[in-house]
Amino acid sequence: MGVRTVSRTASLGVVVVAYLLALGAAWGVVIAAPPSWHPLLTAFVADLVATLLVFALSMVFDNASLYDPYWSVAPPVVAAWWVAVSGTGDGLRQAVVLLLIVVWAVRLTGNWAYGWRGLHQVDWRYDQLRATRGRVPWWVVNLGGIQLMPTLVVYLGLLSVWPALAGSRPFGWLDVVATAVTAGAIALEAMADLQLHRFAAAAENRGRILATGVWRRTRHPNYLGEIALWWGLWLFGLAAAPTWWWTLVGPVAMVVLFKAASIPLMDRRSLARRGGYADHMREVPALLPRLR
């Protein structure tokens, strides 16, 4: 049976089974890991093994988008395990951080599932990479550029979550700031996606540019929300264990990913498909809204 004949419901079932298998493979790493391994190392190896399994299944079904929900599915699993093995940490902070990560993950995964039509649908960016890869084998591009690279970037973002969950400092004012930043980021992403879905659903908006609501202030409010979320998690880590300040490499990596890859790709596509988008780019900043 070709993937084009698989229903959306069956396709989502394939994704669920794939991720349960990936979870099982990751748990196998946790069980087999030497006691001397730090939880950061164990989680990293388990993360890589799970990614490799999802990659293998994406090749079986010839659909790199099988990896897409991994971005939001893996972090709450890692965070929940870290809470279980930390042995220390402020209970209130652990509860707040874990709750925020779960809310973010459920919403973002749900948004992906809402827009995914099935195994016959592949993200246009992956098709573009496949068409322009030259002589590089597709499996190399799929594994390195589409799957391993995001896994590594998300893991860098998660580095600050470990001190946030294991740090012993009591919940304080910086945690309040971190809560506001992280919750605000989740709300911004949710609002941006809701406005985008409503705009795209109206036939009269076909070919037009969304420049209302939060999209009036920034061209990519969903990306801004995603970046802000990882900075908020870093603030939690800083509040719990200031010596782990260096984990800012995570949110910095997020900024680089979106600024250097995601935003240019989206802007080039919009320039090619929507008249007046060049003027829109001059009028509306890519990420941070103007003060005026």
Side-chain angles (χ1 to χ4, degrees):
M1 180 184 292
V3 296
R4 292 187 178 277
T5 63
V6 178
S7 68
R8 182 174 183 272
T9 301
S11 295
L12 289 173
V14 169
V15 173
V16 171
V17 171
Y19 279 76
L20 287 175
L21 292 173
L23 177 61
W27 186 245
V29 172
V30 171
I31 295 174
S36 59
W37 280 16
H38 190 281
L40 283 175
L41 177 58
T42 302
F44 178 65
V45 176
D47 205 7
L48 290 180
V49 169
T51 298
L52 290 174
L53 195 145
V54 173
F55 157 73
L57 292 174
S58 77
M59 294 298 294
V60 169
F61 289 98
D62 193 26
N63 190 325
S65 283
L66 200 67
Y67 174 83
D68 287 352
Y70 195 91
W71 179 285
S72 53
V73 168
V77 176
V78 174
W81 181 68
W82 279 345
V83 169
V85 301
S86 65
T88 58
D90 180 84
L92 176 57
R93 182 184 296 109
Q94 288 179 335
V96 172
V97 171
L98 190 57
L99 175 62
L100 288 170
I101 291 176
V102 168
V103 170
W104 162 81
V106 169
R107 195 215 65 82
L108 192 56
T109 306
N111 186 69
W112 167 82
Y114 174 82
W116 194 56
R117 295 188 296 275
L119 286 170
H120 62 278
Q121 179 187 352
V122 181
D123 191 294
W124 63 268
R125 290 165 291 194
Y126 305 161
D127 283 336
Q128 189 177 85
L129 282 172
R130 193 166 194 166
T132 59
R133 72 185 191 278
R135 296 184 177 181
V136 181
W138 168 239
W139 72 267
V140 173
V141 176
N142 185 12
L143 175 61
I146 295 176
Q147 308 206 25
L148 277 181
M149 187 271 292
T151 288
L152 294 175
V153 171
V154 170
Y155 186 78
L156 289 176
L158 284 172
L159 286 177
S160 60
V161 174
W162 169 254
L165 298 174
S168 57
R169 282 197 169 193
F171 196 93
W173 67 268
L174 188 54
D175 292 287
V176 175
V177 175
T179 302
V181 171
T182 309
I186 296 170
L188 175 58
E189 281 191 278
M191 192 180 305
D193 286 337
L194 178 61
Q195 292 175 359
L196 179 60
H197 289 316
R198 287 177 174 174
F199 183 85
E204 63 271 19
N205 291 330
R206 187 166 300 171
R208 295 177 60 189
I209 300 167
L210 174 55
T212 57
V214 295
W215 296 83
R216 177 171 170 261
R217 299 295 182 183
T218 167
R219 295 200 306 276
H220 305 283
N222 46 351
Y223 292 165
L224 176 59
E226 187 66 19
I227 291 171
L229 174 120
W230 295 100
W231 280 105
L233 294 177
W234 176 75
L235 288 175
F236 276 116
L238 188 66
T243 57
W244 285 70
W245 61 268
W246 56 269
T247 57
L248 63 82
V249 65
V252 168
M254 290 290 173
V255 173
V256 172
L257 174 66
F258 284 105
K259 287 287 289 183
S262 300
I263 289 175
L265 275 172
M266 293 299 293
D267 282 344
R268 282 198 296 269
R269 188 172 192 246
S270 295
L271 280 169
R273 298 179 61 185
R274 294 178 174 83
Y277 194 78
D279 292 332
H280 181 67
M281 289 179 65
R282 285 190 290 269
E283 295 170 1
V284 182
L287 280 176
L288 295 177
R290 297 190 179 98
L291 293 178
R292 289 187 302 158

